[in-house]
Amino acid sequence: MKKYNLDKKILTSILFLLFISFSTDLFSQNSLLEEYRKIYPKEKAVFVYRKKEVNIDFDTKKDSFKIISQIESRMLHLRLHSQAYAQEAITYSDYNKIRNVDAYSLVQTADGIKKKQVVNFQTRDAVSDDVFYNDVKEKVFLFSNITAGTQTHLGYTEELLEPRFLGSFFFTSYIHSQKTELSVSVANTIEIGFQLFGMDTSKINFTEKIEGDRKIYTWTLENAPKYTDEKSSPNLRYYEPHVVLFIKNREDENDKKVSLSSSIQDLYDWYYPFIKEIDTMKEFPELEYFVDELTANDTTALAKSQRIFDWISTQVQYIAFEDGERGFRPAQPEKVCKRKYGDCKDMASALLAMLRIEGIEAHFAWLGSRDLPYRYSQLPIPLVDNHMIVVAKINGKNYFLDATGNQEIFGMPSYFTQNKEALVAINSKKFEILNVDSAPYSQNSIYDSAKVKIDGAKISATGNMVLKGFPKTTILPYLQFQDKEQEIEAFKRLLNPHEPTLQLKKTEVLSTKREKPLQINYEYEIPNHTQSLYSEFYINLHLNPIWRNTEIDSLRKTPVSANYKFEKTQVYVLELPRGAAIKYLPQNQKYDSEYFGFSVEYTRSSEQIILKHSVYSNYLILPISEYKKWNEMIKQLHQAYRQNIVLQR
């Protein structure tokens, strides 16, 4: 009886302690939920923490680096309808291995906190819109029991197999993060490099210390905001705070430094073997007859180069491949020309071979697209570039030849490589860095001219639009209409996107050679465009107000990105109705600055009024410091757009 009472007391005590434990967990979970709801009143979920711990060593027995990372995050779901954050994906490829994945939900119930382990993982290809095939895979899974108060935890180990791919770490994410941390532990025989990028990195706390035979680098950011998502922003690498890591060198057993990524030369020495076989070829016998026949009617190196470039860009289809080492090694030029498809490296391989057959100096060149804001001097690692072209040297001038677009114009850089650096392969040891200049706005022009007639309240416009440079190559793919309705709507947006009552009467696209401008002839009517009062009537000749309603929000946080610099000119010639006299003509206006500007100019005669309106955009990235000036210009431009011509009978 005493033993039974004792056991009963022990059992009661255990149950009481368990109840206290569950109650404490429940209180803690509730307390955390309420705390974070106050901090983030409009958010559905928040990362309690995100952290990555990287350990870098060198295995002398295997003569290779050993790089192991522990990645961990915990998300707290604050409100209902946060299921969009229930799915996660872990990315890996031939260059990194993933193991020890631990994913679970901590669910609040009446009985305490329940742990729901994720057991169902699916592997799939990481499909990209512009990549036909790659070796990148995703391990995809769903957290269960997602509701307000649920915490989801993810942890896994990553082993990096290529030390040049340490990559980058972003301190912000798609939702807010209460704390973000990156720590790197390095053996003291290894020297690393790092660079911070982004618009505001001042709040990132950095510490460096020595613990025994290791160096510890730590970056932390408290209350990290979520990604800024604004229209016309450049790639987030331009403005979101992140750090890029790389290994400079290591010491061998004799304390001698062995360089890995200390300089551009190191990167070039790693790159060159991928192109060596093709770059050192003296002859391309399988292509010689075809190239000679292709350029038979061309007498100069420049003409031959253009002929070859046009053939590659129109006859070889661009299809991206990213498959381990294949992502760095171009295919044989004969193979590319025979199968008529390939990625940027393959097209560069064929282009280089065909140019060299004609005795034209041509070189492989690596460069980054404008999505990457990095320079080779900052980051001598593969992350700095993602594209390959050919640099041809003709008559003392460098031609940057990117044949991946079937509308590209010989002699102009592709729009996504403007203002970038090219790493040009001269020979096995020698390279040079060349700047790919942006095309000036004068080369990217739209000239729209029309005769305008008044018929009562209706006006009619008969004109033509001439497009050169990037405006031409950008619009051409959109002229392949599937049906008449799509065609009509597209031309309305092109001619006057601000006038819903426009009635399109005729369009004609004149076929032209690649190097020539594109011309579009048109006719349209706008009903009820003029207003009359007694013997006066009013007409606004700004039929297509180009920069109408383009003010930049004063609260905008990111730069504005443009595909290319351009200028657009509109010339509208108004034929005066018989017996009409000009009572009022708006004043001319003009605005000029380094990055943008406009002009509005009226001229008159006894029979007509001519409005010439021009705008120019002279930037690829518009700095935030220019937003105020932009809005001042748009305010002046809107005043010009509101001005009417007054005629009197």
Side-chain angles (χ1 to χ4, degrees):
M1 186 68 177
K2 288 182 180 181
K3 184 177 184 301
Y4 172 77
N5 288 335
L6 181 61
D7 289 344
K8 186 176 180 181
K9 288 181 180 179
I10 293 173
L11 180 61
T12 301
S13 298
I14 292 173
L15 290 174
F16 177 75
L17 290 173
L18 287 174
F19 174 76
I20 293 295
S21 175
F22 284 138
S23 297
T24 302
D25 286 343
L26 188 62
F27 175 78
S28 176
Q29 190 96 337
N30 282 330
S31 176
L32 189 66
L33 177 62
E34 292 307 314
E35 177 188 350
Y36 277 71
R37 277 180 167 177
K38 290 178 181 178
I39 299 173
Y40 305 101
K42 296 182 179 180
E43 302 303 318
K44 295 179 181 179
V46 62
F47 279 116
V48 178
Y49 60 81
R50 294 171 48 245
K51 61 183 179 181
K52 181 176 182 178
E53 298 177 356
V54 186
N55 284 275
I56 305 175
D57 292 282
F58 188 81
D59 190 331
T60 55
K61 292 182 179 179
K62 295 182 179 180
D63 192 31
S64 64
F65 283 91
K66 185 177 181 181
I67 304 172
I68 305 294
S69 298
Q70 303 294 332
I71 294 95
E72 188 177 1
S73 65
R74 177 161 293 194
M75 182 187 297
L76 174 62
H77 294 258
L78 302 178
R79 290 168 179 82
L80 298 176
H81 311 299
S82 64
Q83 289 85 353
Y85 305 127
Q87 180 171 302
E88 283 285 354
I90 304 171
T91 304
Y92 61 97
S93 69
D94 291 346
Y95 291 112
N96 65 326
K97 291 182 179 179
I98 300 298
R99 60 176 183 267
N100 303 329
V101 179
D102 184 25
Y104 57 84
S105 303
L106 294 176
V107 185
Q108 181 176 291
T109 70
D111 298 324
I113 306 299
K114 300 294 184 181
K115 184 177 180 180
K116 302 290 185 180
Q117 196 79 37
V118 175
V119 295
N120 185 19
F121 296 89
Q122 295 183 344
T123 300
R124 69 185 184 191
D125 292 332
V127 180
S128 177
D129 292 339
D130 58 351
V131 178
F132 175 73
Y133 176 80
N134 62 39
D135 65 325
V136 181
K137 305 292 183 183
E138 287 181 334
K139 192 179 289 290
V140 185
F141 55 93
L142 282 170
F143 290 106
S144 61
N145 299 90
I146 300 300
T147 186
T150 299
Q151 291 189 53
T152 55
H153 175 275
L154 172 62
Y156 61 92
T157 302
E158 177 188 55
E159 180 181 1
L160 191 62
L161 305 180
E162 172 49 66
R164 294 171 181 84
F165 294 167
L166 270 180
S168 54
F169 179 83
F170 280 80
F171 294 93
T172 54
S173 186
Y174 56 91
I175 59 174
H176 289 268
S177 304
Q178 184 67 12
K179 184 177 182 179
T180 308
E181 181 176 292
L182 169 67
S183 66
V184 182
S185 175
V186 189
N188 58 16
T189 56
I190 298 171
E191 181 183 2
I192 68 166
F194 51 85
Q195 285 276 350
L196 276 173
F197 295 92
M199 287 179 53
D200 184 9
T201 59
S202 61
K203 296 180 181 178
I204 297 172
N205 182 47
F206 172 69
T207 60
E208 178 181 353
K209 62 182 179 180
I210 297 176
E211 291 185 357
D213 59 354
R214 304 189 71 80
K215 290 169 284 187
I216 312 295
Y217 305 88
T218 304
W219 295 263
T220 57
L221 178 61
E222 305 280 350
N223 301 317
K226 60 183 176 182
Y227 292 151
T228 302
D229 183 17
E230 295 176 317
K231 186 178 180 181
S232 300
S233 294
N235 185 278
L236 57 83
R237 291 182 179 273
Y238 280 84
Y239 55 88
E240 293 294 347
H242 63 287
V243 62
V244 180
L245 303 169
F246 56 99
I247 299 173
K248 287 186 172 183
N249 54 64
R250 66 174 179 86
E251 293 179 1
D252 62 14
E253 58 274 10
N254 298 317
D255 297 333
K256 184 179 179 180
K257 288 188 177 181
V258 180
S259 187
L260 184 78
S261 298
S262 294
S263 66
I264 305 174
Q265 186 69 55
D266 290 333
L267 177 63
Y268 184 73
D269 290 343
W270 188 70
Y271 272 167
Y272 190 79
F274 293 120
I275 65 167
K276 181 179 179 179
E277 182 180 357
I278 297 169
D279 193 51
T280 54
M281 284 184 177
K282 301 299 182 182
E283 296 180 345
F284 302 90
E286 294 184 30
L287 291 177
E288 287 181 3
Y289 177 79
F290 170 71
V291 174
D292 289 342
E293 188 176 39
L294 180 67
T295 62
N297 296 325
D298 301 306
T299 58
T300 66
L302 194 61
K304 291 175 184 290
S305 300
Q306 182 167 347
R307 183 80 62 183
I308 292 169
F309 175 82
D310 288 350
W311 187 88
I312 293 286
S313 62
T314 58
Q315 301 303 313
V316 180
Q317 183 181 2
Y318 172 74
I319 300 178
F321 289 87
E322 295 177 8
D323 184 14
E325 190 177 289
R326 173 69 177 89
F328 296 93
R329 191 181 301 279
Q332 289 292 324
E334 299 89 347
K335 185 177 181 180
V336 177
C337 292
K338 183 177 181 179
R339 68 189 185 187
K340 291 190 176 181
Y341 69 83
D343 63 10
C344 63
K345 299 175 294 298
D346 302 336
M347 299 177 85
S349 171
L351 181 56
L352 176 133
M354 294 173 74
L355 290 171
R356 288 184 176 179
I357 287 171
E358 289 299 322
I360 298 164
E361 184 180 352
H363 304 274
F364 283 111
W366 298 265
L367 76 171
S369 70
R370 287 178 52 218
D371 283 344
L372 302 174
Y374 314 126
R375 303 180 70 85
Y376 284 99
S377 58
Q378 296 172 313
L379 302 175
I381 54 176
L383 184 64
V384 75
D385 54 45
N386 58 359
H387 195 47
M388 178 172 275
I389 63 171
V390 168
V391 175
K393 296 178 179 289
I394 306 170
N395 301 327
K397 180 181 177 181
N398 293 315
Y399 288 82
F400 300 95
L401 304 181
D402 182 357
T404 56
N406 59 14
Q407 299 295 338
E408 300 295 346
I409 299 173
F410 180 85
M412 286 186 67
S414 46
Y415 77 87
F416 59 88
T417 61
Q418 297 177 96
N419 282 1
K420 295 295 295 182
E421 291 180 331
L423 175 62
V424 185
I426 305 301
N427 55 44
S428 62
K429 294 297 181 183
K430 185 180 178 182
F431 65 88
E432 60 181 348
I433 301 291
L434 298 177
N435 291 314
V436 182
D437 294 331
S438 60
Y441 64 76
S442 58
Q443 290 186 12
N444 305 312
S445 64
I446 303 173
Y447 190 89
D448 184 11
S449 61
K451 290 184 178 180
V452 182
K453 293 182 179 180
I454 298 174
D455 182 9
K458 177 180 69 177
I459 67 164
S460 61
T462 303
N464 62 77
M465 184 179 291
V466 179
L467 301 96
K468 299 179 183 178
F470 289 135
K472 172 194 170 182
T473 58
T474 301
I475 198 173
L476 274 174
Y478 295 99
L479 298 181
Q480 313 298 323
F481 303 111
Q482 296 181 1
D483 56 52
K484 194 65 177 178
E485 186 176 341
Q486 282 184 330
E487 178 182 349
I488 291 172
E489 289 304 314
F491 278 114
K492 283 184 177 181
R493 289 195 300 271
L494 177 65
L495 297 172
N496 193 332
H498 305 288
E499 182 48 72
T501 65
L502 183 145
Q503 298 173 1
L504 194 63
K505 297 298 182 182
K506 177 185 175 182
T507 57
E508 179 186 21
V509 180
L510 301 185
S511 58
T512 182
K513 294 182 179 180
R514 293 183 56 166
E515 66 275 12
K516 299 295 183 181
L518 172 70
Q519 181 170 323
I520 300 172
N521 297 334
Y522 62 85
E523 293 180 15
Y524 65 80
E525 295 177 351
I526 303 177
N528 302 317
H529 187 74
T530 67
Q531 301 292 326
S532 60
L533 182 63
Y534 303 112
S535 62
E536 298 178 347
F537 57 98
Y538 307 83
I539 178 171
N540 191 314
L541 209 50
H542 287 282
L543 302 184
N544 184 2
I546 305 168
W547 281 340
R548 179 180 173 184
N549 299 330
T550 57
E551 299 90 341
I552 299 176
D553 191 332
S554 61
L555 299 179
R556 184 182 175 96
K557 299 178 181 179
T558 61
V560 173
S561 176
N563 286 335
Y564 48 81
K565 303 172 183 178
F566 73 92
E567 66 176 354
K568 184 171 184 177
T569 301
Q570 298 168 328
V571 178
Y572 296 128
V573 181
L574 174 65
E575 296 184 9
L576 295 178
R578 184 175 298 177
I582 302 171
K583 184 175 181 180
Y584 174 76
L585 200 63
Q587 291 183 342
N588 297 338
Q589 295 191 47
K590 190 174 184 179
Y591 186 98
D592 281 313
S593 76
E594 177 185 357
Y595 293 97
F596 42 76
F598 79 89
S599 64
V600 174
E601 181 181 347
Y602 290 90
T603 57
R604 59 190 290 178
S605 70
S606 59
E607 297 179 348
Q608 62 187 24
I609 296 172
I610 301 175
L611 166 63
K612 183 179 181 181
H613 173 33
S614 297
V615 301
Y616 66 87
S617 174
N618 192 34
Y619 67 85
L620 296 179
I621 300 288
L622 183 63
I624 293 176
S625 59
E626 295 295 315
Y627 290 178
K628 184 177 180 180
K629 291 181 181 179
W630 172 273
N631 287 338
E632 289 173 355
M633 180 194 70
I634 296 302
K635 183 178 180 180
Q636 293 183 30
L637 194 53
H638 282 176
Q639 291 174 352
Y641 287 158
R642 289 194 292 267
Q643 295 295 308
N644 291 319
I645 298 170
V646 182
L647 302 179
Q648 190 170 35
R649 294 188 185 277

